[in-house]
Amino acid sequence: MKGTIVRCLCEMIEKAHGADTWARIMETAGHRTGKLAITMDIVDVDDALVMGLVQATCTVLGITAGQAANAFGEYWSCTFGPANYPKIYERFHSAREMLLGMDQVHIEVTSSVPNARPPRFDYAWSDPRTLNVSYKSNRGMVEIFAGLARGVGKHFNEPLDVTVRDAGSVQIVFAA
Ligand code: HEM
């Protein structure tokens, strides 16, 4: 997986809890501090490494996987994404537009990355406010998907009701 995910996690933890806490998370995940040169977009990072760092974040901060997914999703969608991908954010003017555009965005941003396997999303409306998203990835990060979707709602200041139905589907209810 692209190292951009790790770069975002690192930036979020360092800002909120300081560099020492990030160092403790790295150690808890079994990495020697400073050893990992994984914080660049271009570097492909092993999926197990990402999951190890997320688990270590939960251990060190004493939070659940769901809380970590929501914190990460909010930071990515509201802070890291707009700062690092401004051209992509310019395209979207509402949570609806952005969430519906995400399948295409993931294809685009990973098209030049060898061996990238971006998550894929299918969309189906069950009524004008209720969007059912099929999440297709073998990484099993549906909770992170939900956290990111909630973050998109916060970014556009729109209340969204996001529910994980099962490992491959998420329901998003828009306010209007
Ligand atoms: C500007 C916005 C975004 C960009 C540029 C972006 C880009 C990326 C990239 C590069 C990866 C790693 C993919 C790989 O290495 O194969 C990734 C992973 C992921 N993205 Fe995004 N993303 C964005 C927003 C979102 C949003 C809003 C959601 C959900 C609503 C989302 C859901 C995910 C998930 C769940 C993963 C984890 C990988 C997986 O499940 O297979 N992303 N994204």
Side-chain angles (χ1 to χ4, degrees):
M1 188 152 29
K2 280 181 94 187
T4 187
I5 307 279
V6 177
R7 189 156 66 89
C8 177
L9 184 66
C10 168
E11 188 183 296
M12 174 181 99
I13 302 286
E14 287 194 344
K15 256 197 213 165
H17 304 279
D20 288 358
T21 302
W22 178 248
R24 263 202 293 146
I25 288 169
M26 296 269 277
E27 278 159 24
T28 305
H31 306 294
R32 269 189 293 126
T33 312
K35 182 187 146 213
L36 287 181
I38 54 178
T39 51
M40 291 164 290
D41 283 354
I42 43 159
V43 177
D44 202 22
V45 177
D46 191 64
D47 286 355
L49 185 148
V50 178
M51 290 320 280
L53 285 170
V54 173
Q55 272 161 21
T57 300
C58 295
T59 307
V60 170
L61 299 184
I63 58 174
T64 64
Q67 287 170 324
N70 284 337
F72 176 83
E74 182 171 342
Y75 189 78
W76 177 289
S77 294
C78 299
T79 306
F80 188 88
N84 289 280
Y85 302 96
K87 287 269 173 278
I88 292 175
Y89 272 74
E90 272 171 22
R91 291 184 210 169
F92 305 117
H93 304 95
S94 66
R96 245 190 190 77
E97 277 184 15
M98 180 151 184
L99 290 165
L100 290 170
M102 280 303 109
D103 186 54
Q104 187 54 39
V105 163
H106 283 82
I107 293 172
E108 267 176 50
V109 295
T110 56
S111 64
S112 57
V113 183
N115 307 320
R117 284 173 294 114
R120 300 295 309 269
F121 314 123
D122 271 348
Y123 305 98
W125 291 94
S126 48
D127 66 51
R129 287 175 44 214
T130 309
L131 179 66
N132 300 295
V133 185
S134 299
Y135 159 74
K136 293 184 283 185
S137 165
N138 57 7
R139 298 194 178 104
M141 294 183 167
V142 72
E143 292 293 346
I144 292 183
F145 177 91
L148 285 157
R150 291 185 184 106
V152 169
K154 292 214 165 78
H155 175 73
F156 288 101
N157 214 4
E158 290 178 37
L160 295 185
D161 199 351
V162 179
T163 312
V164 174
R165 303 300 244 185
D166 59 48
S169 64
V170 176
Q171 186 184 71
I172 302 172
V173 182
F174 296 85

